[in-house]
Coordinates of all heavy atoms in Angstrom, one line a residue:
M29 N 15.2 -15.3 2.2 CA 15.0 -14.4 1.1 C 13.8 -14.9 0.2 O 13.2 -14.2 -0.5 CB 16.3 -14.3 0.3 CG 16.3 -13.3 -0.8 SD 16.2 -11.6 -0.1 CE 16.1 -10.7 -1.5
T30 N 13.4 -16.1 0.4 CA 12.4 -16.7 -0.4 C 11.0 -16.2 0.0 O 10.0 -16.3 -0.7 CB 12.4 -18.2 -0.5 OG1 12.2 -18.7 0.9 CG2 13.7 -18.7 -1.0
D31 N 10.9 -15.7 1.3 CA 9.6 -15.2 1.8 C 9.4 -13.7 1.4 O 8.3 -13.2 1.6 CB 9.6 -15.3 3.3 CG 9.6 -16.7 3.7 OD1 9.1 -17.6 2.9 OD2 10.0 -17.0 4.9
A32 N 10.4 -13.1 0.8 CA 10.3 -11.6 0.4 C 9.1 -11.3 -0.5 O 8.4 -10.3 -0.2 CB 11.6 -11.1 -0.2
P33 N 8.8 -12.1 -1.5 CA 7.7 -11.7 -2.4 C 6.3 -11.8 -1.6 O 5.4 -11.0 -1.8 CB 7.7 -12.7 -3.5 CG 9.1 -13.1 -3.6 CD 9.6 -13.1 -2.2
W34 N 6.2 -12.8 -0.8 CA 5.0 -12.9 0.0 C 4.8 -11.8 1.0 O 3.7 -11.2 1.2 CB 5.0 -14.3 0.8 CG 4.8 -15.4 -0.1 CD1 5.7 -16.3 -0.5 CD2 3.5 -15.8 -0.7 NE1 5.1 -17.3 -1.3 CE2 3.8 -17.0 -1.5 CE3 2.3 -15.3 -0.7 CZ2 2.8 -17.6 -2.2 CZ3 1.3 -15.9 -1.5 CH2 1.6 -17.1 -2.2
I35 N 5.9 -11.4 1.6 CA 5.9 -10.2 2.6 C 5.5 -9.0 1.8 O 4.7 -8.2 2.3 CB 7.2 -10.1 3.3 CG1 7.5 -11.3 4.2 CG2 7.3 -8.8 4.1 CD1 8.9 -11.4 4.7
L36 N 6.1 -8.8 0.7 CA 5.8 -7.5 -0.1 C 4.3 -7.5 -0.6 O 3.7 -6.5 -0.6 CB 6.8 -7.4 -1.3 CG 8.2 -7.1 -0.9 CD1 9.1 -7.1 -2.1 CD2 8.3 -5.8 -0.2
A37 N 3.8 -8.7 -1.0 CA 2.4 -8.8 -1.4 C 1.5 -8.5 -0.3 O 0.5 -7.7 -0.5 CB 2.1 -10.1 -2.1
I38 N 1.8 -9.0 0.9 CA 0.9 -8.8 2.0 C 1.0 -7.3 2.4 O -0.1 -6.7 2.7 CB 1.3 -9.7 3.2 CG1 0.9 -11.1 2.8 CG2 0.6 -9.3 4.5 CD1 1.5 -12.2 3.8
V39 N 2.1 -6.7 2.4 CA 2.3 -5.3 2.8 C 1.6 -4.4 1.8 O 0.9 -3.5 2.1 CB 3.8 -4.9 2.8 CG1 4.0 -3.4 2.8 CG2 4.4 -5.6 4.0
A40 N 1.6 -4.8 0.5 CA 0.9 -4.0 -0.6 C -0.6 -4.1 -0.4 O -1.3 -3.0 -0.5 CB 1.3 -4.5 -1.9
V41 N -1.1 -5.2 -0.1 CA -2.6 -5.3 0.1 C -3.0 -4.6 1.3 O -4.0 -3.8 1.3 CB -3.0 -6.8 0.2 CG1 -4.4 -7.0 0.7 CG2 -2.8 -7.5 -1.1
F42 N -2.3 -4.7 2.5 CA -2.7 -4.0 3.6 C -2.6 -2.5 3.5 O -3.4 -1.7 3.9 CB -1.9 -4.5 4.8 CG -2.3 -5.8 5.4 CD1 -1.4 -6.8 5.7 CD2 -3.7 -6.0 5.6 CE1 -1.9 -8.0 6.2 CE2 -4.1 -7.2 6.1 CZ -3.2 -8.2 6.5
S43 N -1.5 -2.0 2.8 CA -1.4 -0.6 2.7 C -2.4 0.0 1.7 O -2.9 1.1 1.9 CB 0.0 -0.2 2.2 OG 0.3 -0.8 0.9
Y44 N -2.8 -0.8 0.7 CA -3.8 -0.4 -0.2 C -5.2 -0.3 0.5 O -5.9 0.7 0.4 CB -4.0 -1.4 -1.4 CG -5.1 -1.0 -2.3 CD1 -4.9 -0.1 -3.4 CD2 -6.4 -1.7 -2.2 CE1 -6.0 0.2 -4.2 CE2 -7.4 -1.3 -3.0 CZ -7.2 -0.4 -4.0 OH -8.2 -0.1 -4.9
L45 N -5.5 -1.3 1.3 CA -6.8 -1.3 2.0 C -6.8 -0.2 3.1 O -7.8 0.4 3.3 CB -7.0 -2.7 2.6 CG -7.3 -3.8 1.7 CD1 -7.4 -5.1 2.4 CD2 -8.6 -3.5 0.8
F46 N -5.6 0.0 3.7 CA -5.6 1.0 4.7 C -5.9 2.4 4.2 O -6.8 3.1 4.7 CB -4.2 1.0 5.4 CG -4.0 2.2 6.4 CD1 -4.6 2.2 7.6 CD2 -3.2 3.3 6.0 CE1 -4.4 3.2 8.5 CE2 -3.1 4.3 6.9 CZ -3.7 4.3 8.2
I47 N -5.3 2.8 3.1 CA -5.5 4.1 2.5 C -6.9 4.2 1.9 O -7.5 5.2 1.9 CB -4.4 4.5 1.5 CG1 -3.1 4.7 2.3 CG2 -4.8 5.7 0.7 CD1 -3.2 5.9 3.2
H48 N -7.3 3.1 1.3 CA -8.7 3.1 0.7 C -9.8 3.4 1.8 O -10.6 4.3 1.5 CB -8.9 1.7 0.1 CG -10.2 1.6 -0.7 ND1 -10.2 2.2 -2.0 CD2 -11.4 1.1 -0.4 CE1 -11.5 2.0 -2.5 NE2 -12.2 1.3 -1.5
F49 N -9.7 2.7 2.9 CA -10.7 2.9 3.9 C -10.5 4.2 4.7 O -11.4 4.9 5.0 CB -10.8 1.7 4.9 CG -11.3 0.5 4.2 CD1 -10.6 -0.7 4.2 CD2 -12.6 0.5 3.6 CE1 -11.1 -1.8 3.6 CE2 -13.0 -0.6 3.0 CZ -12.3 -1.8 3.0
F50 N -9.2 4.6 4.9 CA -8.9 5.8 5.6 C -9.4 7.0 4.8 O -9.9 7.9 5.4 CB -7.4 5.9 5.8 CG -6.9 7.0 6.6 CD1 -7.2 7.1 8.0 CD2 -6.3 8.1 6.1 CE1 -6.8 8.1 8.7 CE2 -5.9 9.2 6.8 CZ -6.1 9.2 8.2
S51 N -9.2 7.0 3.5 CA -9.6 8.2 2.7 C -11.1 8.2 2.6 O -11.7 9.3 2.4 CB -9.0 8.2 1.3 OG -9.1 6.9 0.7
K52 N -11.8 7.1 2.6 CA -13.3 7.1 2.7 C -13.8 7.7 4.0 O -14.8 8.4 4.0 CB -13.8 5.7 2.5 CG -13.8 5.3 1.0 CD -14.6 4.1 0.8 CE -14.7 3.8 -0.7 NZ -15.7 2.9 -1.1
V53 N -13.1 7.5 5.1 CA -13.5 8.0 6.4 C -13.2 9.5 6.4 O -14.1 10.3 6.9 CB -12.7 7.3 7.5 CG1 -12.9 8.0 8.8 CG2 -13.2 5.8 7.6
I54 N -12.1 9.9 5.9 CA -11.7 11.3 6.0 C -12.6 12.2 5.1 O -13.1 13.2 5.4 CB -10.2 11.5 5.6 CG1 -9.3 10.8 6.6 CG2 -9.9 13.0 5.5 CD1 -9.4 11.4 8.0
N55 N -12.8 11.7 3.8 CA -13.6 12.5 2.9 C -14.5 11.5 2.1 O -14.2 11.0 1.1 CB -12.6 13.1 1.9 CG -13.4 14.1 0.9 OD1 -14.6 14.3 1.1 ND2 -12.6 14.6 0.0
P56 N -15.8 11.4 2.7 CA -16.7 10.4 2.0 C -17.2 10.9 0.7 O -17.6 10.1 -0.1 CB -17.9 10.4 3.0 CG -17.4 11.0 4.3 CD -16.2 11.9 3.9
Q57 N -17.0 12.2 0.3 CA -17.5 12.7 -0.9 C -16.4 12.6 -2.0 O -16.7 13.0 -3.2 CB -18.0 14.1 -0.9 CG -19.3 14.3 -0.1 CD -19.0 14.5 1.4 OE1 -18.0 14.8 1.8 NE2 -20.1 14.1 2.1
A58 N -15.3 12.0 -1.7 CA -14.2 12.0 -2.7 C -14.6 11.0 -3.8 O -15.3 10.0 -3.6 CB -12.9 11.5 -2.1
S59 N -14.2 11.3 -5.0 CA -14.5 10.4 -6.1 C -13.7 9.1 -6.0 O -12.7 9.0 -5.4 CB -14.2 11.0 -7.5 OG -12.8 11.1 -7.6
A60 N -14.4 8.0 -6.5 CA -13.8 6.7 -6.4 C -12.5 6.6 -7.2 O -11.5 5.9 -6.8 CB -14.7 5.6 -7.0
K61 N -12.4 7.3 -8.3 CA -11.2 7.4 -9.1 C -10.0 7.9 -8.3 O -8.9 7.3 -8.3 CB -11.4 8.2 -10.3 CG -10.2 8.2 -11.3 CD -10.6 9.1 -12.5 CE -9.4 9.2 -13.4 NZ -9.7 10.1 -14.5
N62 N -10.2 9.0 -7.6 CA -9.1 9.6 -6.7 C -8.7 8.7 -5.6 O -7.5 8.6 -5.2 CB -9.6 10.9 -6.2 CG -9.7 12.0 -7.3 OD1 -9.1 11.8 -8.4 ND2 -10.4 13.0 -7.0
I63 N -9.7 8.0 -5.0 CA -9.4 7.1 -3.9 C -8.6 5.9 -4.4 O -7.6 5.5 -3.7 CB -10.7 6.6 -3.2 CG1 -11.3 7.8 -2.4 CG2 -10.4 5.5 -2.2 CD1 -12.7 7.5 -1.8
I64 N -8.9 5.4 -5.5 CA -8.2 4.2 -6.1 C -6.7 4.6 -6.4 O -5.8 3.9 -6.1 CB -8.9 3.7 -7.3 CG1 -10.2 3.0 -6.8 CG2 -8.0 2.7 -8.1 CD1 -11.1 2.5 -7.9
W65 N -6.6 5.8 -7.1 CA -5.2 6.3 -7.4 C -4.4 6.6 -6.2 O -3.2 6.2 -6.1 CB -5.3 7.5 -8.3 CG -5.5 7.2 -9.7 CD1 -6.6 7.4 -10.5 CD2 -4.6 6.5 -10.6 NE1 -6.4 6.9 -11.8 CE2 -5.2 6.4 -11.8 CE3 -3.3 5.9 -10.4 CZ2 -4.6 5.7 -12.9 CZ3 -2.7 5.3 -11.5 CH2 -3.4 5.2 -12.7
A66 N -5.0 7.1 -5.1 CA -4.3 7.4 -3.9 C -3.8 6.1 -3.3 O -2.7 5.9 -2.8 CB -5.1 8.2 -2.9
S67 N -4.7 5.1 -3.3 CA -4.4 3.8 -2.7 C -3.3 3.1 -3.4 O -2.4 2.5 -2.8 CB -5.7 2.9 -2.7 OG -6.7 3.5 -1.9
I68 N -3.4 3.1 -4.7 CA -2.3 2.5 -5.6 C -1.0 3.1 -5.4 O 0.1 2.5 -5.2 CB -2.7 2.4 -7.0 CG1 -3.9 1.5 -7.3 CG2 -1.6 2.0 -7.9 CD1 -4.5 1.6 -8.6
S69 N -1.0 4.5 -5.4 CA 0.3 5.2 -5.2 C 0.9 4.9 -3.8 O 2.1 4.7 -3.7 CB 0.0 6.7 -5.3 OG -0.5 7.0 -6.6
F70 N 0.1 4.9 -2.8 CA 0.6 4.6 -1.4 C 1.1 3.2 -1.3 O 2.2 3.0 -0.7 CB -0.5 4.9 -0.4 CG 0.0 4.7 1.0 CD1 0.8 5.7 1.6 CD2 -0.3 3.6 1.7 CE1 1.2 5.5 2.9 CE2 0.1 3.4 3.0 CZ 0.9 4.4 3.6
A71 N 0.4 2.3 -2.0 CA 0.9 0.9 -1.9 C 2.2 0.7 -2.6 O 3.1 0.0 -2.1 CB -0.2 0.0 -2.6
I72 N 2.4 1.4 -3.7 CA 3.7 1.4 -4.5 C 4.8 1.9 -3.7 O 5.9 1.4 -3.5 CB 3.6 2.1 -5.8 CG1 2.7 1.3 -6.8 CG2 4.9 2.3 -6.4 CD1 2.3 2.0 -8.0
I73 N 4.5 3.1 -3.0 CA 5.6 3.7 -2.2 C 6.0 2.8 -1.0 O 7.1 2.7 -0.7 CB 5.1 5.1 -1.7 CG1 5.0 6.1 -2.9 CG2 6.0 5.7 -0.6 CD1 4.3 7.4 -2.5
V74 N 5.0 2.2 -0.3 CA 5.2 1.4 0.8 C 6.0 0.1 0.4 O 7.0 -0.3 1.1 CB 3.9 1.0 1.6 CG1 4.2 -0.1 2.6 CG2 3.4 2.2 2.2
V75 N 5.7 -0.5 -0.7 CA 6.4 -1.6 -1.2 C 7.8 -1.3 -1.6 O 8.7 -2.1 -1.3 CB 5.6 -2.3 -2.4 CG1 6.5 -3.3 -3.2 CG2 4.4 -2.9 -1.9
L76 N 8.1 -0.1 -2.2 CA 9.4 0.3 -2.5 C 10.2 0.4 -1.2 O 11.4 0.1 -1.2 CB 9.4 1.6 -3.3 CG 8.9 1.4 -4.8 CD1 8.9 2.8 -5.4 CD2 9.9 0.5 -5.5
I77 N 9.6 1.1 -0.2 CA 10.3 1.3 1.1 C 10.6 -0.1 1.7 O 11.7 -0.3 2.2 CB 9.5 2.2 2.0 CG1 9.5 3.6 1.5 CG2 10.1 2.1 3.4 CD1 8.6 4.5 2.2
F78 N 9.7 -1.0 1.7 CA 9.9 -2.3 2.3 C 11.0 -3.1 1.5 O 11.8 -3.8 2.1 CB 8.6 -3.1 2.4 CG 7.9 -3.0 3.7 CD1 7.2 -1.8 4.0 CD2 8.0 -4.0 4.6 CE1 6.6 -1.7 5.2 CE2 7.4 -3.9 5.9 CZ 6.6 -2.7 6.2
C79 N 11.0 -2.9 0.2 CA 11.9 -3.6 -0.7 C 13.3 -3.1 -0.4 O 14.3 -3.9 -0.3 CB 11.6 -3.4 -2.1 SG 12.5 -4.4 -3.3
M80 N 13.5 -1.8 -0.2 CA 14.8 -1.3 0.2 C 15.2 -1.8 1.5 O 16.4 -2.1 1.7 CB 14.8 0.3 0.2 CG 14.7 0.8 -1.2 SD 14.9 2.6 -1.3 CE 13.9 3.3 0.0
N81 N 14.3 -1.9 2.5 CA 14.6 -2.4 3.8 C 15.1 -3.9 3.7 O 16.0 -4.3 4.4 CB 13.5 -2.2 4.8 CG 13.3 -0.8 5.2 OD1 14.3 0.0 5.2 ND2 12.1 -0.5 5.6
I82 N 14.4 -4.6 3.0 CA 14.7 -6.0 2.8 C 16.1 -6.2 2.2 O 16.9 -7.0 2.6 CB 13.7 -6.8 2.0 CG1 12.4 -7.0 2.9 CG2 14.1 -8.2 1.6 CD1 11.2 -7.5 2.1
L83 N 16.4 -5.4 1.2 CA 17.7 -5.4 0.5 C 18.8 -5.0 1.4 O 19.9 -5.5 1.4 CB 17.7 -4.6 -0.7 CG 16.9 -5.2 -1.9 CD1 16.9 -4.2 -3.1 CD2 17.5 -6.5 -2.4
L84 N 18.5 -4.0 2.3 CA 19.6 -3.5 3.2 C 19.8 -4.4 4.3 O 20.9 -4.5 4.9 CB 19.2 -2.1 3.7 CG 19.3 -1.0 2.7 CD1 18.7 0.3 3.3 CD2 20.7 -0.8 2.2
L85 N 18.8 -5.2 4.7 CA 19.0 -6.1 5.9 C 19.5 -7.4 5.5 O 19.9 -8.2 6.4 CB 17.6 -6.2 6.6 CG 17.1 -5.0 7.3 CD1 15.7 -5.2 7.8 CD2 18.1 -4.5 8.3
T86 N 19.6 -7.8 4.2 CA 20.1 -9.1 3.9 C 21.5 -8.9 3.4 O 22.0 -8.0 3.1 CB 19.3 -9.7 2.8 OG1 19.2 -8.9 1.6 CG2 17.9 -10.0 3.3

């Protein structure tokens, strides 16, 4: 259970970077503000899902 914060931090960073680069590939003309908000929102959702999975599995 002590590794959970590290796992969640790594998952958050990877999910943020994934959506950030993915949205730049899909729509290069998108504003930076929208890309950042989409990346942050996706990272929060993924971290919540992983947090629920960690709580259910322990």
Side-chain angles (χ1 to χ4, degrees):
M29 191 65 181
T30 59
D31 294 334
W34 288 105
I35 293 170
L36 291 176
I38 291 170
V39 166
V41 169
F42 281 135
S43 62
Y44 176 85
L45 292 175
F46 173 75
I47 289 298
H48 187 77
F49 292 122
F50 185 74
S51 51
K52 283 191 174 200
V53 169
I54 296 297
N55 187 6
Q57 289 86 21
S59 69
K61 183 179 176 184
N62 290 341
I63 291 174
I64 290 172
W65 277 112
S67 302
I68 291 172
S69 301
F70 185 74
I72 290 171
I73 290 170
V74 169
V75 166
L76 288 175
I77 291 170
F78 267 76
C79 189
M80 288 190 314
N81 285 335
I82 289 173
L83 287 174
L84 288 174
L85 293 176
T86 57

